[in-house]
Structures are given as C-alpha cells and as structure tokens.
C-alpha cells in the first residue's frame, strides 16, 4: 500500500528528471502514444542548458541530483538491461561513487555506536575520509597489532541512508505496480519482483557485516588460487555500520600507464582476471558482482586484489551447468544442444518448439564464428541470447542477468588491458576443466550422491510430513462442517485497512494536484 509520501516523491522524481531532460534518453519507438505525449511534454520543462548537453549521461546526472539512495537504485538498474533496456542501462552505468563526504565526527559516532568502543581505543590513528560512495565512505587508519603499526581501511555507513532508502523504495514499488498495471507487455519482466530484489540487495549491502562475510568467503575459496586475492577482514573492528580490512597498496586497474610503469604484464593480468572470474562462477558458484576497474588493484607481487564486495552473485549447480553448456555449445556450434539446455532447465516454456528456438540460437552463433577469436565477446553473446529469449517468453532470471552484467564489465576491463585479448583461449582451461568434471562421467557419480542425500533428508522428514498432513486434514474437515470464519479481531483489522486505503488514496490525489499547481505557478 503506497502512502501519500510515495506519490509526492514520485512527482519530485518526475520533476527532476524533466528538468534535466532525462526523459529524452528513453527510446520513444516502443512507447505507447500516451507515454510519447508525456515524454514530449516533459521536454518542454527541461532547462535550456540540459537540452544542449550530450544526450548520453543525462539520466545519470539527474539521478545524482536526486541523492545517494537514488544513485544506488540507478546503479542497481544499470545491472538490469533486461528491465530498463540496453541504452538506459549504459546511461546509468555512468553513475559513479563520487558522493560528497560526511563529517568525520558522524563517522566516529557511527563506529562507536556499532562497536561499543571509542575510536581512539580501536585505532592508533584515524584520518579524514579518502573516498565516499552512495552508501558508505572509507577512512585510512592505523591499528596496533602485537606492538606493530598496521595500516587498515575503515568503511563506515552513511548516516541516515537506511531511512532515506526505505522511503525512496516505496516510490519504486509504486512505479513498478503502475508499470505492471498500465504496461501489460512488461509483466514478463516482473518489475515488482525486481524491486523486491533491489530492496533485499541494498539491505544486505547496508549491513557491512555481510560484506565482511562475503570477503571472508571469497578469501577462503581463492586461498589456493594464484594471481587473485581479496583483503583480509579485521573482525574485531567490524560491525553493522563499519567494516575494517587490510589496506591495499597497489595500482588501480584503470591506471594502464601506472601498471606498465610498475612492470606488470597486461596480457597476463587480463588472462588472470577472466580465469579468476570464471573459476569463481563455475567452481564456487559465488562471485564478486561489481568487478569494475575502480574495485580492482594490482599489488607489488602482481596479484589482482578485488575490494568493495557489497554486491555478490550466486549460481546453483543447475545455473552453472546451464552457463557451461551454453558456452560449450556455441564453441562446438551445437545449437540444438544449447536450445535443449534451455528447455531442460525450464527457462523457456515447454509449449514452444525446441527446433525453432535452436534456429534463433543459430542466428546468434553463426556470425560469431566468422570473426577472429580475439574479437568474439562472450558477454555480447550472452546479451544477444537474452534478447532472443524474449521472443520465446523466457522470464527474467535475476541471477543470470547479474552474471551477464558482471561478465560484460570483467570482459571490458580485460579488453582495456589488451584490446586484442583472446577471450576464448584464456577461458578454455577453466571452462574445459569444469565441463570435464561436471558434464562427463563424474557428473553421474555427483548426481547419484546428491540424489542419495536428498532421499535421506526426505526419509528423515517423513514423520513430520505425516503429522502435518493429519493436522491439515482435520482442519479441512472442520471447515467443511462449520464453514470458514474470521474472528472479530481479524474482521476489525480488515475494516481498518480498507479505511486507511481510502483515506490515503484521497490524500494522495490532493498532494499530486497541489504539486502540479505549484509547478504551473513556478513556470508562469
């Protein structure tokens, strides 16, 4: 249920977007007539300077004006080209974590409130912030460990960001419900479910203990891997609002000249990056989902160090097999197998024809085989694949879209290191090994073992299932004899809810009307 405040925030969002001429960035060809009229009307409200600016990036600039929580929403939507479209996703990808810092005194208060100890007792030195993002900012600090000074990075949550996001997400729910109601063809994309995913993802990201846990998990997964690592977490100085981790001395991957000057082999770094990402995805089913150049460093030993693990992705065994068989099918030009995998996994509804789907897959794969290996993009292949699946009613799979977005970013970083980098040659050792271990004879043994474990769990649950079935049967019999009844408290609660809904709807209409009158008065 949307409150009047959600309607007011929605009007404010529309006003800011219109003033920044952000609506012009939305492709008009697929919009219904009413939406195209609103788009043209919004263009009349745009500032003259906004009209003269480059079209790409207008939406990102407007979102930055709306504030930190909207920047986080925009960054999330940039990972969902299936929902907002490729052009808008590319525009939103320009959003950077370059927010204004908040005072050190507020950071100290957040740390002390989270850890229950004074900053001076926790750190030998605590400096001014060096970088600020939409959710948190980072302070350099020094701790004493066994009598030795040790540099650390301290990430502190932005004060009040949880409350602001909770209010802003309500407006997002309002938009998604309106989208499902007035744009029926977008229901396949499940906008309300996408908003729920955004809410859950951001809540997780706002609990810095969970980011610390993600760093710890990826650290354990990669402890035997060469060339890749993550910072170690200082759990003594980590809480809900603060995470303290190892300080990384290294060169950012965005600094190509700095990497060359430090003597690093750019081709080796690109190969290590791709292989590490695929290893995390296929072997572990757990990957860093925000591996852009700003979050990647190269230390003195030549190891890639990934930081800022607020966003992570997970893939189950079925999804990992799906990914590996798709890649392997395209490599071997077995398009029927790629199509069959989609149907076996349940991603494409069974009423569609597998041969027709294989024909669509062939239309993607054949042009790729005519190109040099170093120009073939796995990320582009997956993007085209997801576009084709729209024709076959394939519903949005958030985990696969997150994977595709991350692959696009990782592949882009590798290409900046070496524009002629051969993605397929670098990927073969990891993908090939996983296919041999999981799609060959070993797969049968693994499936049998997993099936046995599942059968044992079912056997253990049989007594409880029987007891619940008996209780449910007794309740059904009682309902058939006595009918379905509400107790007085339930009936009263339903009445109160209906009354609130009616009052909120009327109040919302008055808020919208007053806002429109204010805007008209401002323009007069």
């Amino acid at each position: 249920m949307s409150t009047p405040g959600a309607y007011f925030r929605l009007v404010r969002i529309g006003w800011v977007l219109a003033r920044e001429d952000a609506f012009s960035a939305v492709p008009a060809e697929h919009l219904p007539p009413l939406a195209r009229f609103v788009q043209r009307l919004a263009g009349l409200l745009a500032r003259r300077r906004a009209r003269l600016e480059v079209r790409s990036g207008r939406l990102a600039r407007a979102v930055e004006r709306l504030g930190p929580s909207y920047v986080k929403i925009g960054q999330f939507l940039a990972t969902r080209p299936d929902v907002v479209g490729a052009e808008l996703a590319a525009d939103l990808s320009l959003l950077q974590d370059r927010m204004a810092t908040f005072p050190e005194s507020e950071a100290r208060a957040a740390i002390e409130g989270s850890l229950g100890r004074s900053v001076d007792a926790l750190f030998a030195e605590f400096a001014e912030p060096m970088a600020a993002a939409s959710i948190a900012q980072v302070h350099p600090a020094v701790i004493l460990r066994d009598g030795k000074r040790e540099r650390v990075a301290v990430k502190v949550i932005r004060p009040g960001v949880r409350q602001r996001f909770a209010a802003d997400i309500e407006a997002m729910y309002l938009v998604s419900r309106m989208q499902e109601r007035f744009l029926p063809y977008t229901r396949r994309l499940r906008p309300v479910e996408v908003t729920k995913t955004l809410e859950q993802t951001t809540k997780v990201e706002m609990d810095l203990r969970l980011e610390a846990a993600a760093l710890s998990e990826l650290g354990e997964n990669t402890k035997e891997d060469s060339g890749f690592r993550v910072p170690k977490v200082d759990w003594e100085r980590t809480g809900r609002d603060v995470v303290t981790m190892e300080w990384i001395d290294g060169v950012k991957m965005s600094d190509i000249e700095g990497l060359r000057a430090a003597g690093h082999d750019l081709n080796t770094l690109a190969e290590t990056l791709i292989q590490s990402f695929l290893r995390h995805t296929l072997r572990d089913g757990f990957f860093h989902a925000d591996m852009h150049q700003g979050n990647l460093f190269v230390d003195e030993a030549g190891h890639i160090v990934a930081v800022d693990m607020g966003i992570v992705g997970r893939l189950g065994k079925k999804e990992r097999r799906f990914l590996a068989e798709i890649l392997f099918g395209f490599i071997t030009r077995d398009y029927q197998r790629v199509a069959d995998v989609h149907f076996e996994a349940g991603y494409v509804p069974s009423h569609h024809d597998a041969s027709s789907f294989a024909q669509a897959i062939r239309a993607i794969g054949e042009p790729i085989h005519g190109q040099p290996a170093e120009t073939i993009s796995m990320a582009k292949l997956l993007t085209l694949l997801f576009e084709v699946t729209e024709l076959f009613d394939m519903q949005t799979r958030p985990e696969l879209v997150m994977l595709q977005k991350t692959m696009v970013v990782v592949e882009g970083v590798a290409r900046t290191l070496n524009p002629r980098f051969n993605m397929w040659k670098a990927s073969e050792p990891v993908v090939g090994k996983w296919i041999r271990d999981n799609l060959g004879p070993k797969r049968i043994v693994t499936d049998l073992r997993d099936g046995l474990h599942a059968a044992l769990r079912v056997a253990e649950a049989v007594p409880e299932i029987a007891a619940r079935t008996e209780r449910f049967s007794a309740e059904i019999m009682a309902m058939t004899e006595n009918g379905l009844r509400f107790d007085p408290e339930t009936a009263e609660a339903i009445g109160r809810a209906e009354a609130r809904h009616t009052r909120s709807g009327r109040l919302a209409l008055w808020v919208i009307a007053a806002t429109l009158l204010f805007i008209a008065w401002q323009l007069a």
Side-chain angles (χ1 to χ4, degrees), residues 423-497:
M423 303 293 300
W424 298 100
K425 184 178 179 180
S427 304
E428 197 283 328
V430 178
V431 177
K433 182 179 186 302
W434 195 90
I435 287 174
R436 288 190 296 272
D437 290 345
N438 294 274
L439 302 183
K442 289 185 179 180
R443 172 184 176 178
I444 299 174
V445 176
T446 302
D447 287 349
L448 287 173
R449 184 187 61 197
D450 292 344
L452 180 60
H453 288 166
L456 289 173
R457 287 194 297 270
V458 170
E460 292 172 353
V462 164
E464 179 63 22
I465 292 172
R468 290 185 179 182
T469 302
E470 185 178 359
R471 288 196 298 270
F472 180 70
S473 176
E475 291 172 1
I476 292 292
M477 291 299 295
M479 287 171 57
T480 58
E481 294 176 1
N482 305 318
L484 180 63
R485 297 182 179 181
F486 290 123
D487 59 41
E489 293 181 0
T490 301
E492 185 180 351
I494 292 174
R496 286 197 303 267

Side-chain angles (χ1 to χ4, degrees), residues 59-75:
L59 183 57
R61 287 190 293 272
V63 171
E64 285 179 342
R65 274 194 59 191
L66 289 169
S69 58
Y70 289 99
V71 169
K72 178 50 59 182
I73 291 171
Q75 289 173 331

Side-chain angles (χ1 to χ4, degrees), residues 15-25 42-59 61-62 65:
W15 173 250
V16 172
L17 294 178
R19 293 292 287 167
E20 293 296 327
D21 200 25
F23 288 109
S24 66
L44 300 176
L45 302 177
R47 294 181 298 110
R48 179 176 299 178
R49 190 179 69 181
R51 293 194 194 101
L52 298 176
E53 291 174 342
V54 180
R55 177 173 172 176
S56 64
R58 286 181 186 175
L59 183 57
R61 287 190 293 272
R65 274 194 59 191

Side-chain angles (χ1 to χ4, degrees), residues 251 255-266:
V251 183
D255 185 3
I256 304 300
E257 293 305 317
L259 292 172
R260 286 198 182 100
H264 299 299
D265 186 323
L266 300 188

Side-chain angles (χ1 to χ4, degrees), residues 181-252:
R181 180 177 179 181
F182 297 111
L183 300 173
Y185 66 91
T186 66
R187 290 172 187 165
R188 181 186 72 89
L189 303 176
R190 300 187 293 181
V192 174
E193 291 299 318
V194 170
T195 305
K196 288 180 181 178
T197 303
L198 164 62
E199 183 179 25
Q200 180 61 27
T201 299
T202 308
K203 282 182 178 179
V204 168
E205 193 172 355
M206 288 179 183
D207 189 333
L208 298 185
R209 294 170 298 188
L210 300 181
E211 179 177 350
L215 283 167
S216 176
E217 182 176 351
L218 190 59
E220 289 185 6
N221 291 344
T222 60
K223 62 184 178 182
E224 302 297 331
D225 296 349
S226 62
F228 184 94
R229 68 184 186 92
V230 294
K232 296 177 181 177
V233 176
D234 183 343
W235 286 101
E236 180 186 352
R237 296 170 178 84
T238 292
R240 180 170 178 255
D241 296 336
V242 56
V243 57
T244 303
M245 65 191 79
E246 169 191 3
W247 180 270
I248 301 299
D249 277 317
V251 183
K252 273 193 175 183

